[in-house]
Amino acid sequence: MKRSVITFLVPAALLASSALMGCRGQVSHQPPMWIKHGMEFQPRYNAFEENTYFSDGRNMRMPPAGTVARGMLKDDDAFWRGGDSAHPVTSNPLPMTETLLERGQERFNIYCSPCHGRTGLGNGMVVQHGFMQPPNFHDDRIVNMPDGQVFQTISHGVRNMPSYGKQIPESDRWAIVAYLRALQRSQRATMADVPESEKANLR
């Protein structure tokens, strides 16, 4: 019985003493004592704060020419930019997979179909409500357009089409390009494109 009482009283006493130590009996107007100043008082300048070290007094400085943020080098010109405007890449730098096409279809239906329609004919919902009709994706001009040029059009826009560079990441733009090619192929397929094992099912 005594052991259980002691087991209860000792933690209770420790808890009560801790609570009392946290309460001050009087208010002090002196600044508190800081054991470690590291995080509370950092030797640094805040954004837009004056800095007399520089002659113009500005604390925020332009980065040196050629500075690139970590992880933002983007040195693969084919993937990040689709080549240059004069020489766009001819083919998609991403490997053609079912996952890529599914992602492309999803992004196409979100960003492209409102104007171009889900079949790419240029008869999307906004067109049906008076918006200017965009080109038909199945026209020879677009079918024969290099993949890099399609990517750049998505990135920067053209004529009445706005830029989607901020909304759609580069990998998703290439997925859209891949799906667009599959969509175009679906409207131009012939019996020669059907595997021999499947032709019997079409008769």
Side-chain angles (χ1 to χ4, degrees):
M1 183 69 177
K2 291 182 178 180
R3 183 183 297 274
S4 61
V5 172
I6 294 174
T7 304
F8 171 77
L9 290 177
V10 170
L14 290 174
L15 182 62
S17 61
S18 298
L20 291 173
M21 290 176 63
C23 300
R24 296 184 181 182
Q26 56 186 350
V27 177
S28 173
H29 296 286
Q30 300 297 319
M33 295 180 60
W34 297 97
I35 306 301
K36 186 176 181 182
H37 291 73
M39 296 300 293
E40 291 83 5
F41 304 102
Q42 300 179 28
R44 61 178 176 80
Y45 287 95
N46 295 320
F48 299 104
E49 188 176 358
E50 181 182 8
N51 189 334
T52 57
Y53 178 82
F54 299 105
S55 59
D56 58 6
R58 294 186 305 165
N59 180 51
M60 299 175 67
R61 315 303 301 173
M62 288 294 292
T67 300
V68 178
R70 183 184 295 272
M72 299 297 291
L73 181 57
K74 298 185 176 182
D75 57 343
D76 185 349
D77 194 58
F79 175 80
W80 294 106
R81 288 168 284 281
D84 59 51
S85 57
H87 303 92
V89 296
T90 57
S91 60
N92 197 321
L94 298 182
M96 191 67 64
T97 63
E98 184 177 353
T99 301
L100 182 71
L101 290 175
E102 289 175 348
R103 178 68 177 179
Q105 181 181 28
E106 180 190 48
R107 299 293 97 181
F108 181 94
N109 290 339
I110 292 172
Y111 292 105
C112 308
S113 67
C115 293
H116 293 279
R118 294 207 171 195
T119 58
L121 295 174
N123 58 350
M125 187 59 65
V126 297
V127 177
Q128 298 175 34
H129 287 78
F131 193 80
M132 183 175 294
Q133 185 171 11
N136 185 336
F137 282 150
H138 304 287
D139 289 344
D140 289 341
R141 179 181 67 86
I142 299 179
V143 170
N144 297 322
M145 186 179 290
D147 285 359
Q149 186 174 350
V150 177
F151 176 89
Q152 292 168 0
T153 302
I154 299 171
S155 302
H156 307 296
V158 62
R159 292 183 291 277
N160 293 316
M161 176 181 167
S163 164
Y164 284 90
K166 297 295 185 182
Q167 295 95 325
I168 310 176
E170 287 83 358
S171 58
D172 282 348
R173 288 176 234 167
W174 284 119
I176 291 173
V177 174
Y179 176 70
L180 172 60
R181 295 312 190 198
L183 194 63
Q184 292 169 335
R185 184 68 178 271
S186 71
Q187 301 301 307
R188 292 171 173 252
T190 65
M191 284 297 292
D193 298 312
V194 181
E196 291 294 334
S197 58
E198 298 296 330
K199 286 184 178 180
N201 298 325
L202 300 178
R203 295 171 183 168

